[in-house]
Amino acid sequence: MKKHLLAILLSTSALISTGAVAADLSFPHLETTGRGEVVVKPDMAVFSVDVVATKPTASEAKQAADQAVTKFIERLTKAGVERKNINSANISLSAQYRYPKDQAPEFTGFKATRNVVVTVYKLENLNTYLDGALGDGINQINNITLKVKDQKKYQEEARQAAIANAKEMAASLAKGFGDKVEGVWQIDYNTASRPMPYRMANYVGSAMQDSAAINQSYSENNIVISDSVNVIFKLAK
């Protein structure tokens, strides 16, 4: 997997006695926010689909939704998706009414809704799975989120880049004002990763497109995993 490590200075701030804690410190100090990013190629994805069936009775609506989900799961497992990577254990049933103007509500049937969440470890097959959903009576394909299997590894790389960024900025600022950094007084750590989501509301099956090209388009995208750390440094007296 290709990756590109960025130790960036984006929006890095170095403020003298700005935070509530920093304002109470009586010794010379400065505060910096270090940021780091790792750009990686995705190697997995998670997507979800919905099936909605409206029938005269609750049992008929449930049966129609169950049948669509069963067909979809069978197609996925035949295509190589492990059953443990398919989550379909949910259903909701609700009575449906029509509301004519100036008239009493009219019962029209029952609506059954089921959602299926699929984790994909072979991006080259993603479009095939989506086509299968459209062919199995699925009403809607929801968000597709591209991810990486080794999230913790790249989060750690982004964190170390953020730490290096904070230290570099502190040393640079102290030098600019004729001082030196003596050590770290306080670390305020907050993490944030940014996987790249893809919404498929306008998804069109590969029967109308080049399937290989569509599959390639998912793996060509990048995921940015970011991290940041706020540090208060002591200045040498």
Side-chain angles (χ1 to χ4, degrees):
M1 181 185 301
K2 295 180 180 179
K3 62 188 179 69
H4 179 49
L5 181 62
L6 303 175
I8 60 173
L9 303 181
L10 287 175
S11 302
T12 303
S13 60
L15 307 175
I16 303 297
S17 303
T18 56
V21 174
D24 295 332
L25 301 180
S26 59
F27 53 82
H29 58 277
L30 63 84
E31 180 180 348
T32 66
T33 298
R35 292 183 171 87
E37 290 186 350
V38 178
V39 181
V40 298
K41 295 291 185 182
D43 57 9
M44 62 177 291
V46 177
F47 73 90
S48 65
V49 301
D50 289 332
V51 56
V52 180
T54 301
K55 298 292 181 179
T57 67
S59 61
E60 289 176 315
K62 178 181 180 300
Q63 184 178 28
D66 289 346
Q67 287 176 347
V69 170
T70 298
K71 289 180 180 179
F72 182 47
I73 292 175
E74 289 176 350
R75 187 187 293 265
L76 288 173
T77 54
K78 287 180 181 179
V81 179
E82 294 187 41
R83 185 61 181 86
K84 65 180 181 180
N85 295 324
I86 307 170
N87 183 0
S88 61
N90 62 80
I91 188 169
S92 64
L93 285 166
S94 59
Q96 301 297 294
Y97 295 88
R98 188 167 62 90
Y99 296 91
K101 186 176 181 180
D102 299 326
Q103 297 182 37
E106 298 178 2
F107 174 75
T108 59
F110 285 89
K111 181 175 73 172
T113 304
R114 289 195 64 176
N115 174 261
V116 182
V117 180
V118 184
T119 301
V120 177
Y121 290 101
K122 294 183 178 180
L123 286 183
E124 64 271 20
N125 295 334
L126 179 56
N127 194 60
T128 301
Y129 302 149
L130 297 174
D131 281 350
L134 295 175
D136 290 323
I138 303 298
N139 304 92
Q140 180 176 333
I141 297 175
N142 299 320
N143 295 353
I144 299 175
T145 303
L146 301 181
K147 296 185 176 183
V148 288
K149 299 184 187 76
D150 203 348
Q151 170 79 19
K152 294 178 67 174
K153 171 186 174 182
Y154 298 112
Q155 193 71 59
E156 174 63 20
E157 291 188 20
R159 182 180 305 117
Q160 292 304 317
I163 292 170
N165 181 217
K167 293 167 64 177
E168 179 182 354
M169 180 59 68
S172 175
L173 285 168
K175 180 179 179 181
F177 287 99
D179 289 313
K180 291 184 178 180
V181 174
E182 185 176 84
V184 175
W185 174 257
Q186 178 175 302
I187 299 172
D188 182 14
Y189 174 69
N190 293 291
T191 183
S193 62
R194 295 187 281 126
M196 189 177 298
Y198 288 85
R199 301 186 181 278
M200 301 300 294
N202 298 320
Y203 176 81
V204 178
S206 64
M208 299 176 61
Q209 302 182 43
D210 184 339
S211 182
I214 294 173
N215 284 326
Q216 182 65 22
S217 70
Y218 295 115
S219 60
E220 287 178 348
N221 290 287
N222 290 327
I223 299 172
V224 178
I225 299 174
S226 62
D227 219 326
S228 64
V229 60
N230 300 316
V231 187
I232 298 177
F233 293 92
K234 294 175 62 178
L235 295 175
K237 296 181 179 179

